[in-house]
Structure formats: C-alpha cells, structure tokens
Amino acid sequence: MTSFLTSRFGGLALRNVMNNKNGINSFGLRCFSTNSVNGLRNIGISAHIDSGKTTLTERILYYTGRIKEIHEVRGKDGVGAKMDSMDLEREKGITIQSAATYCKWGDNHINIIDTPGHVDFTIEVERALRVLDGAVLVMCGVSGVQSQTITVDRQMRRYNVPRVVFINKLDRTGANPWNVIEQLRKKLNLNAVALQVPIGKESNLEGVIDLVTEKAMIFGEKGTAPIIEEIPSNFVEFVKEKKMELVETIANVDDELGEWMIENDFPNNMPDEKTLTAAIRRTTIARKVVPVMMGSAFKNTGVQPLLDGVIKYLPSPNEKKIIALDTSVKDKETEVELESDPKKPFVGLAFKLEEGRFGQLTYMRVYQGTLKRGDTIKNVNLGKTIKVPRLVKMHASEMEEVSEVGPGEICAMFGVDCYSGNTFTHQNCSYTMTSMHVPEPVMSLSIQPKSKDGQANFSKALSKFQKEDPTFRVKSDQESGQIIISGMGELHLEIYVERMKREYNVETVTGKPLVAYRETIQQRGDYNFTHRKQSGGQGQYAKMIGFAEQSENGMENEFVNDVIGTAIPPTFIEAIKKGFKDCIEKGPLIGHPVVGVKFVVADGATHSVDSSELAFRIATAGAFKEAFEDGDPTILEPIMKVEISLPQEFQGTVISGVNRRKGAIVNTTTQGESLTFECEVPLNNMFGYSTELRSMTQGKGEFSMEYLKHTNVSRELYNQLLEEYKKKRAEDTK
C-alpha cells in the first residue's frame, strides 16, 4: 500500500519507510504522532446522510497532505472517496462503517473518524463520539436541520462532546446559512453563532470573511492556499453587524469577555483577535456556544479555515474531563479522573472491532499512559492478560505500523480476542470506562443459507457480525426453528446479508419471521375419551373423563386432578400430566403453543393388564383434542405497544398509516413541534414499518415497540392461518 507522507503546506517528510510482505508500512518512529498532547485533536465528522461528511474528510486529507488526489463519493473515475473503503460503500455512495485516519495541520496532529449519516448505522456514531474529544457537525446549507442531525445532536449531548458546525453545500441553489443557524437555535436549542460570512452565494460563492480576524479569504483552484484580502466594501456594514452579534453572544455566557466589554468601552472598542479567540475557545469547550463556519467542500471552499477552527476552538485530550471507575475493591466502584500523562499507568478503551485480513482488528483509544508493542496489558472486563502483538495507525483501510502510542491517541491492535466496549489497563490497574449506549433493534428477519454447504460459513459470519456490531442480534426461534436476525432497519440487515455473500461466499434466503401466535379456548369443553388398542399380547387401555376451561391465571396453563378414589392410580396421573405438557407445546389448530387452559381430570377407568403410563399419555392427547374442539378454540396474536415520535406536519399521514395496519391510537402527547403517539398494533402488521415511517416523515419520524399482550385474531386471519397450516402439513407428509 502507498503511504502519502508529503504535506502540501507543512513540508512534512518521514524517512525510513519500507513496505513489508504483509502490505503494512513499518516505521522506525511513531508516525504522525505528537509528543505534545496540547497539539493533538480527536474529532468526529457527523451529520445527516448526504450532507457531505465524506467529501469534507476527503478535502481535509488532501489539504493536509495525506492523499495526493481527490476522488469523489460517486465520482466518474470509479475510485470512490478514501474513507469509503468498503465495496458496498462505493457502490451505494453512503458510509456504512466509521473509518479512522490521522493527519497533520501545521504543528498539530488530528485523528479523524468519518461516521455514517444513515439512521440504520447509528451505533457507528455512538462508538465514535464515545472516544472523541470534539466533533464537526456538518449541515447542508439547503436542507438545514434534518432527522439524523437531531439524533447526532442527542448523541453529542449524551457524551458531552463540544462541537463546531460546518455549513456545507453553500454553492447549491437555495443555500442560506442564516436560515440554518436559526434552525440550530430553534430546533436543536443550540447557542449557535457565525464566525464567518460567505462572499457571494450559490454558484457565485468565492470565499468567506473571518469575523474574528476581519479578513476575506478567496479560494481559487483546488490545492492552492486561500488569498487573504481586505473585506470588500459592499460587505463592511454587514460584517460589522455580525461581529457585534458574535461578541455579544459570547459575552452573555463568558464572564471574562463580559468584564472586558465593560472596562473597554464596547462597542466603540472591539476585542482583539487573541482575546476573542480565547473567549470562543473557552465557551466552545464548556459547550455554552457552538461556533459556525461555512463553505463548500465539493468546491474546495472553506476547508482550510475549518481546520484552523478545529485547532483553535476544539479541546485537546487533556482539556476534557475523563472519568473511569476503580473496581479494585469488590462491590465498590469509585470514580477516578484520568490524566493525559504518558508516564501514568496505561488505560484504554476498545471501542470498535473489525475482522481484518490478519484476524480481529481492535480499535483502541488511549486515555492515560503509553501503549507499546510487546507490553502485557489486562482486559478488565474479561479478567485476561494479553501481550500486545502489533500496533497500527489506521488510514481508512490502510494500516501503518507503529511501535508505541501515547495518551489521547487512537490506534488499532491485531489478534486480540475481546468485545466492543472492553477496557484495557496496566497489569496493576483495575479501572473500567463506562460503556456506550446501545439502542434496541427495531426490525427482524428470518434467515437461512440457500444450501447446506454454506452452513459453517453462515454460522461464522453471524458470530463475527455480532461481535462487530452490538445492534446486530441473532437468536434461534424455538417454535419455528428459524434463525432470526434483528437490527436498526431494513438497510442495516440488507448490508449484512450482502456482506455474507461477498465476504463469506454464502447465499442466503431471507423472509418475514414467524409471528408468535398462541392457541386457546373461549368456553368450557368436555371430554369422555377411551384409548383402546389390541394387537395380540398386552394391549393398551386408558379411559379419561373431564373438561377443559379458561384458566383463571391469564396466559398460564393449569393441570387439576379431581379424581376421587383410585379410579386412576397416582402413577397414571403423573403420565396424564406429562401428556398434557406435550399437548400444550403444539396446539391442534396451527401447531403453536396453547395458553390459558385449565385441564381437569374428573374420572376414568383402567385395565389390570393393558393400562400403562404410555396408554394414558396417548389418551391425554385424544382427550385434550376433544375438549379443545368443544371449547370454541381461537388463535391469539401478539399486540405491540408502539410509540411514534414525529413532527406535527406529518400527523395525518402517520395516523392513516397506523389505521391501515389495524392499529389503535390510545394516547397522544405534544411537545413543542413534536408529537408522540402511543398505539397498539398487531406484530404481524408491523413488518416493514420502519421504512414506511421514514418515507412518510422525510426521515424525521422514529418509533419503538415492545410486547404488550395477546388478543384474538380476526375471523379472516383465523381462516387464513388454518388454511396455511393445512397446506404446510400436506407438503410435509408428501
């Protein structure tokens, strides 16, 4: 693999580079590493799908000298963006897995994680934000705040991540950065403030004016540094107004700048660049203000000032408070603050796993101490000690080997068996980092390999995907024998099915999973059943009289022995009880479990020779079937409690969608411009709802569901299920 180690602006050169047989670059020094933690930035680039995150990352890598050529996400050259290294990503033009890289800007080092924007891959954003110190929230200059922007904002708040906003795509028709800033304030409740003013708009976008330095930056051909000029005369008044707004917004939340304004006759005197930059940095790191920068990544406008902004306003690892839990005392966890000190005991978090060509690749964020190749470290969660085999720094899918990594850095280890979210420490240390939030899956599919030959690889793939992705769940349905996979949406599961085909050469068949129907009776059903079988020698004889009725304990089944005397001896009563358990496992109607039935044995008869435990178990099956048919049997289906959150503008279409799925809305709550519906909907009708809801609400609607109860199916569905079961039985007996 080629390593691009010439910086277009920094003149960086690294020697002693050699390619080894495995295609991993081996360095005699810590490549792209910094001895000063103050000069290090760990940032994530997050946004709604199609806001230009990967395009922006591509430009950052180009301007920092990490790549020699720019390739577009859906470029005509067919190469695809550097950070979209998976074939599926390049085909679909979306980011599926978060990709890590690093670069140098001036004397500072930046670790970057480019995350997916699609809601189905939310866990990738969760994992990235868990280990990053700051973030760039990319907004589309036309669309503004969109559904996944709201989700990403929620995640950034959960992990207390300071952020800067980059309003992208200002070259597009209809782009308006001031509308976007207003939406950030109203919809996300962020104290957003512009640091720049665009020069020209839409197709006439030429550059930006920096409100802090009061200089204009004009961007020419790609790869050239911006031309710094004085502010054009037609912008002077507007810039003055926006700078006043900037200073006042910062001063409202920063006492230091507020005091400066009082002492220095503001607004006749404006704060100098150093004072204002320091105030913006303080308030950004404290998450009181969100600075907003602008440009167009595709048109190479505003990327260099954004990199300057990342260095100036986002925190270094030692400026963010990191808390770990000391588990050295059993049943007593105490909070410990970690320090970005290379000499302290090592503490790191494995935040992402990937199956590489050379085994499992474990992404690690080092919080404290230094990690060296050959060190012995402890997995606190699993209680295992391991020797660090190989350390690499990631550049998308390429790997560059390093001998050690210091505090605040992100690296990857080979061949370490662990799980996502495990903490690694020095041998004498027992700290554990708090785990990340894992959302519950919302959609399931049944899956099986097309041929028996693929069974081994199929099992291997499922096992690997579960380790990689905590939102991907696999379970075996005891009733149907099906393998059920669950995930965050149809695209999420579709990608894994496609990966099975490409990476493991396993063709699969997917389908709608079987719904957990139940069978029961609605009234008392009597039975008087005799089992008699004579075939020479000892025969079989058992007689049972009694009834079945609805249980008083809801969905639970009951067995009652009301036999007086020894009409049926106790040993045979035990056999009847076992026979009853056999019957309720597979009901007579459609082969699903029976619930809510009380089975009573009142009387019976035995034969001194022919009666046996087996005879009574067989008789129980006949007696149960007789009583069940007499008791007005029915089928129950699971009803889910569904909670739907959506903007008010989509209320009508969502209500009609719920009605179409035979759901009932039981409660509605309003909060600002958002609505929340509580509904009861049959599980059988919820298949594919996540995709439908997104299309109905332009991706702004979300839903969660949980089991509520079982109720009677409609007569139409009852007949349909009986017919399907008969056909299946007929096919099985052929």
Side-chain angles (χ1 to χ4, degrees), residues 644 646 650-663 665 677 689 692 696:
I644 309 168
L646 65 150
F650 305 109
Q651 182 177 354
T653 50
V654 171
I655 289 174
S656 63
V658 170
N659 292 338
R660 197 168 58 250
R661 289 174 183 266
K662 296 179 182 163
I665 295 170
F677 291 138
Y689 187 63
E692 183 186 294
M696 282 194 296

Side-chain angles (χ1 to χ4, degrees), residues 683-694:
L683 175 62
N684 193 40
N685 300 340
M686 285 302 293
F687 187 75
Y689 187 63
S690 55
T691 308
E692 183 186 294
L693 181 65
R694 282 176 205 159

Side-chain angles (χ1 to χ4, degrees), residues 468-541:
E468 268 183 30
D469 184 353
T471 59
F472 180 76
R473 313 276 172 89
V474 180
K475 67 173 183 180
S476 177
D477 192 297
Q478 297 298 320
E479 294 168 31
S480 62
Q482 290 179 316
I483 300 288
I484 307 292
I485 55 172
S486 306
M488 299 307 296
E490 285 183 59
L491 180 63
H492 187 207
L493 297 178
E494 185 189 307
I495 293 293
Y496 278 117
V497 169
E498 189 63 31
R499 280 185 65 192
M500 252 185 226
K501 184 179 169 184
R502 293 182 185 211
E503 295 172 29
Y504 289 88
N505 202 24
V506 177
E507 292 270 0
T508 56
V509 180
T510 58
K512 184 175 168 182
L514 283 181
V515 174
Y517 291 111
R518 297 288 180 264
E519 300 178 26
T520 192
I521 52 174
Q522 300 179 82
Q523 63 183 37
R524 175 173 161 147
D526 295 310
Y527 65 86
N528 184 341
F529 187 82
T530 304
H531 169 64
R532 187 184 283 111
K533 188 178 180 186
Q534 197 69 43
S535 55
Q538 186 182 345
Q540 290 181 3
Y541 178 85

Side-chain angles (χ1 to χ4, degrees), residues 405-454:
V405 283
E409 293 194 52
I410 290 170
C411 65
M413 292 190 299
F414 266 123
V416 175
D417 188 29
C418 67
Y419 289 85
S420 188
N422 283 175
T423 304
F424 288 88
T425 64
H426 184 271
Q427 281 178 283
N428 303 329
C429 201
S430 289
Y431 294 167
T432 177
M433 309 298 296
T434 51
S435 60
M436 64 200 95
H437 171 76
V438 178
E440 283 301 308
V442 296
M443 189 185 168
S444 302
L445 281 177
S446 65
I447 187 168
Q448 63 183 67
K450 262 187 183 175
S451 64
K452 287 184 179 178
D453 301 344

Side-chain angles (χ1 to χ4, degrees), residues 371-438:
L371 182 63
K372 296 179 183 177
R373 186 170 56 201
D375 276 359
T376 301
I377 57 174
K378 180 167 74 173
N379 183 329
V380 179
N381 304 80
L382 300 180
K384 292 179 181 174
T385 54
I386 60 152
K387 192 172 181 181
V388 179
R390 293 168 79 184
L391 286 175
V392 293
K393 294 279 276 181
M394 298 302 296
H395 179 40
S397 62
E398 295 174 12
M399 290 161 256
E400 291 162 4
E401 199 163 325
V402 291
S403 57
E404 62 175 64
V405 283
E409 293 194 52
I410 290 170
C411 65
M413 292 190 299
F414 266 123
V416 175
D417 188 29
C418 67
Y419 289 85
S420 188
N422 283 175
T423 304
F424 288 88
T425 64
H426 184 271
Q427 281 178 283
N428 303 329
C429 201
S430 289
Y431 294 167
T432 177
M433 309 298 296
T434 51
S435 60
M436 64 200 95
H437 171 76
V438 178

Side-chain angles (χ1 to χ4, degrees), residues 259-311:
E259 284 171 22
W260 185 97
M261 288 167 68
I262 295 164
E263 291 167 6
N264 290 274
D265 188 25
F266 178 83
N268 296 323
N269 287 322
M270 296 296 267
D272 61 18
E273 183 185 335
K274 190 178 176 184
T275 306
L276 189 53
T277 300
I280 296 169
R281 181 175 179 78
R282 277 193 305 274
T283 52
T284 304
I285 292 172
R287 302 190 318 282
K288 293 176 180 176
V289 161
V290 177
V292 178
M293 284 168 266
M294 309 171 185
S296 166
F298 186 68
K299 296 289 183 184
N300 306 292
T301 303
V303 179
Q304 294 98 321
L306 173 64
L307 281 164
D308 290 335
V310 164
I311 304 301

